Amino acid sequence: MAPYFFYFLAFLAIFSALMVVFSKNPVYSVLFLVMTFFAIAGQYILLNAQFLAVVHIIVYAGAIMVLFLFVVMLLNLNKELEPHKSSLLKLAGVIASGILMLTLIGTFRGATEQVVGAGLSDGLTYNNQVGLVKNLGKVLFSDFLLPFELSSILFLSAMVGAVMLGKRDKEPIEL
Amino acid sequence: MLLTIYDFTRLTTAIHTWLTSKMGDTLVMLSEMVMVGLCTLTFFVVLCLILVYMERKVSAFMQIRMGPNRVGPWGTVQAIADTVKLLLKEGLTPDGADKLLFNFAPILVVAICFAAMAPIAFGKGLAIWDINIGVLYISAISSVGVIGILMAGWSSNNKYSLLGAMRSGAQIVSYELSIGMAVLSIVVLSGSLKLSDIIMAQESGWWIFRGHIPAIIAFIIFIIASTAEINRAPFDMAEAESELTAGFHAEYSGMKFAMFFLAEYVNMFIVCAIGATLFFGGWMPFHIGGLVAFNNVMDFIPSPIWFFGKTFGLIFLIMWFRWTFPRLRIDQLLTLEWKFLLPISMINLLLVTLIAIMGWYF
């Protein structure tokens, strides 16, 4: 069963990711991006990492994409208003992202070879319990305590910054 | 312990073993999925009929009038008559609307309601998917519901619909934080995200009684924030009929409108079921720690009766809100969340954590 689910989700993720780029309407792009996130969350569940899947949905599909949709709908962007890019710019974009893809493929291939070279006969020894919230919490609060706390301070400062930006307007708004 | 007398695990295990003896693993999974889906669908329909009838009767009671009393005994068949009317109506799609999204939005909203029902335990051993992060799963799924509302509002190509959807988005995204904090305080007390563990942690008393005042504050914040999250009065900014005609579903008619309407009621049931599970012990009978005889007498009442009794009690509370409080303005609504509920719930979470660490709960 699992391989079929994997292929279905992988196809869905790639298809909707492509549609994000090719959709003429920005609202459709955002909705396809939501679909991509759901497909990737499905892959996490196949890897028995339910916590990661759910957090992925809460943060990306539930919060960030809703704000994206908000902005796109409020500005009512559509293809008539979209600035036309010259073909030179398009070519540059294709070349730059092609190089990025090559780099990523190279890196991941290298990673697999390293793991195999390190003496693990079965490639990756994957612990299928690692994604459960209990194990994840233990690792986060013991081995990775400092990075975890640093990232929470980063979030806190971002929150304070957002509040300060919102408060900058001193004059009362006339209604 | 007499808790085992009404255990549905035996029933579900019996069905599973019988199916396994007849066919292969994949087919067993598929047929179980179909069975669960049919059960959920039936439950969904019956629930909506009951809730619509209940809302009309409760509102009539609040306003000292009779309510539906013509169709069937005490008007009980009124909801079915309304459903037939909605089924026969034409589902109009406006010319200027984005056809695909316009027709897809109600389906998405209802599908999300279905998905959010999965981890809820209706009785002992009667949950569809007792996932180990049940509480987080529900909040993840319900946070996606706003995408359906935004889709409906935008694709209608109507300024009132768009405004309603925007308001709804702002409201759901902000009130989600308070709900999360209130839910977290119970998670801290029980030490698990799994709904069955949270219920079992309340074996010697429900958290609202054992968790002192912080648990009661968490419950009040939860019920206010969830009323806002499901877009019900006094927080029904998304459809405020005196300002926005009908808000995000102004352009919908017939069955497509009915789907939004039904989703609202099912969402109400889901938040009340979660509230009952977290604060009132779900299907756990009323227990007082130490009084064995009393607890055993309480165990004779079947667990689904406890669950539905508590849930419908909370639903009545939310209906009571609707017919008692006037609607808030959008700025008052956001002020209430960001300046009052969120700071209170953050401090409350710290207090609950202190209680949980020191073991001060009963």
Side-chain angles (χ1 to χ4, degrees):
Chain A
M1 246 350 226
Y4 296 109
F5 275 122
F6 170 77
Y7 285 119
F8 174 71
L9 288 170
F11 170 76
L12 193 70
I14 292 170
F15 168 76
S16 46
L18 286 175
M19 288 306 287
V20 173
V21 184
F22 291 126
S23 296
K24 291 278 182 217
N25 194 327
V27 173
Y28 275 78
S29 291
V30 176
L31 291 174
F32 274 116
L33 197 51
V34 173
M35 211 159 112
T36 316
F37 286 138
F38 265 91
I40 291 170
Q43 301 281 22
Y44 287 145
I45 289 179
L46 283 185
L47 291 171
N48 209 16
Q50 290 111 336
F51 180 70
L52 199 56
V54 165
V55 168
H56 190 76
I57 289 175
I58 291 181
V59 173
Y60 288 102
I64 295 179
M65 282 304 114
V66 169
L67 296 179
F68 266 49
L69 262 186
F70 234 74
V71 173
V72 170
M73 285 179 181
L74 259 187
L75 298 180
N76 208 6
L77 300 171
N78 44 39
K79 59 184 170 206
E80 289 94 55
L81 292 174
E82 202 179 339
H84 287 284
K85 306 217 169 54
S86 66
S87 47
L88 192 68
L89 261 176
K90 279 181 188 164
L91 190 70
V94 168
I95 290 173
S97 45
I99 290 172
L100 178 67
M101 195 173 92
L102 271 181
T103 320
L104 284 176
I105 291 174
T107 316
F108 287 128
R109 276 183 64 90
T112 325
E113 276 159 15
Q114 268 182 358
V115 171
V116 175
L120 298 171
S121 52
D122 54 345
L124 289 160
T125 46
Y126 177 66
N127 176 8
N128 69 348
Q129 299 297 309
V130 78
L132 301 185
V133 62
K134 204 171 191 172
N135 303 323
L136 198 68
K138 272 186 187 144
V139 173
L140 268 185
F141 283 103
S142 54
D143 298 355
F144 297 100
L145 185 62
L146 187 66
F148 181 76
E149 293 297 336
L150 282 179
S151 56
S152 50
I153 290 172
L154 188 70
F155 279 123
L156 189 68
S157 53
M159 245 161 72
V160 172
V163 171
M164 285 316 290
L165 281 177
K167 275 184 72 130
R168 202 172 48 184
D169 199 4
K170 277 283 188 320
E171 293 95 71
I173 303 156
E174 296 288 324
L175 287 174
Chain B
M1 239 17 258
L2 283 172
L3 268 178
T4 45
I5 50 174
Y6 298 111
D7 195 343
F8 288 92
T9 326
R10 268 181 298 175
L11 179 71
T12 45
T13 322
I15 294 173
H16 183 75
T17 27
W18 183 74
L19 281 176
T20 320
S21 68
K22 298 281 175 201
M23 45 185 120
D25 280 345
T26 312
L27 267 178
V28 168
M29 203 172 102
L30 281 177
S31 53
E32 280 175 357
M33 277 160 114
V34 170
M35 276 161 64
V36 167
L38 285 177
C39 288
T40 321
L41 195 66
T42 321
F43 176 70
F44 187 80
V45 171
V46 174
L47 185 74
C48 287
L49 292 177
I50 292 173
L51 285 179
V52 170
Y53 177 71
M54 182 176 162
E55 168 108 282
R56 299 186 64 171
K57 275 293 183 193
V58 169
S59 69
F61 173 67
M62 298 284 169
Q63 298 169 339
I64 326 180
R65 54 186 175 83
M66 298 297 287
N69 60 356
R70 286 289 180 269
V71 192
W74 304 286
T76 38
V77 198
Q78 184 68 53
I80 295 173
D82 287 347
T83 316
V84 171
K85 183 193 81 175
L86 283 169
L87 277 171
L88 293 176
K89 273 193 171 179
E90 185 189 0
L92 205 71
T93 307
D95 254 351
D98 188 311
K99 303 276 184 304
L100 180 67
L101 291 187
F102 186 83
N103 290 314
F104 182 59
I107 300 172
L108 182 74
V109 169
V110 171
I112 285 165
C113 287
F114 266 95
M117 247 185 209
I120 294 173
F122 296 97
K124 188 170 169 53
L126 204 63
I128 298 171
W129 186 29
D130 195 15
I131 183 176
N132 66 349
I133 41 159
V135 177
L136 270 181
Y137 171 83
I138 294 175
S139 61
I141 292 298
S142 55
S143 71
V144 178
V146 64
I147 290 177
I149 291 178
L150 283 174
M151 256 170 151
W154 179 81
S155 65
S156 298
N157 200 9
N158 174 333
K159 60 187 171 200
Y160 295 122
S161 300
L162 187 62
L163 275 176
M166 291 294 154
R167 285 178 171 191
S168 163
Q171 183 176 333
I172 292 179
V173 167
S174 28
Y175 277 85
E176 225 160 52
L177 298 171
S178 294
I179 292 195
M181 294 277 174
V183 167
L184 260 187
S185 56
I186 295 302
V187 171
V188 166
L189 281 173
S190 339
S192 175
L193 289 163
K194 195 175 179 176
L195 280 176
S196 58
D197 287 352
I198 292 176
I199 295 169
M200 287 317 285
Q202 305 182 57
E203 206 172 337
S204 58
W206 304 338
W207 280 125
I208 195 157
F209 299 129
R210 285 167 66 201
H212 302 285
I213 294 170
I216 297 173
I217 295 175
F219 173 68
I220 293 170
I221 289 172
F222 177 83
I223 205 84
I224 294 175
S226 45
T227 314
E229 171 128 346
I230 55 177
N231 281 327
R232 274 184 68 87
F235 304 104
D236 60 342
M237 302 309 305
E239 39 201 277
E241 59 267 32
S242 53
E243 304 159 27
L244 298 176
T245 62
F248 65 91
H249 55 61
E251 296 288 351
Y252 283 87
S253 59
M255 211 49 212
K256 281 181 259 172
F257 162 74
M259 280 165 105
F260 281 116
F261 191 66
L262 300 186
E264 183 191 324
Y265 282 99
V266 174
N267 273 329
M268 183 163 72
F269 174 81
I270 289 168
V271 294
C272 290
I274 298 163
T277 307
L278 295 177
F279 296 96
F280 295 93
W283 50 260
M284 186 61 76
F286 182 67
H287 282 172
I288 298 175
L291 294 179
V292 180
F294 176 77
N295 292 349
N296 285 352
V297 170
M298 284 296 165
D299 286 345
F300 274 103
I301 302 173
S303 52
I305 291 186
W306 280 107
F307 173 77
F308 284 106
K310 292 166 193 174
T311 308
F312 275 89
L314 289 181
I315 289 175
F316 176 74
L317 191 69
I318 285 187
M319 286 181 175
W320 193 355
F321 287 165
R322 171 163 178 181
W323 301 103
T324 314
F325 295 118
R327 182 182 299 128
L328 273 76
R329 250 187 4 239
I330 183 80
D331 58 323
Q332 291 170 333
L333 183 104
L334 294 176
T335 311
L336 174 72
E337 162 64 17
W338 291 101
K339 292 197 177 159
F340 296 98
L341 288 186
L342 193 59
I344 292 173
S345 52
M346 276 175 168
I347 294 167
N348 193 49
L349 181 60
L350 287 179
L351 280 177
V352 170
T353 316
L354 185 70
I355 287 176
I357 291 172
M358 305 300 280
W360 283 341
Y361 53 84
F362 297 117

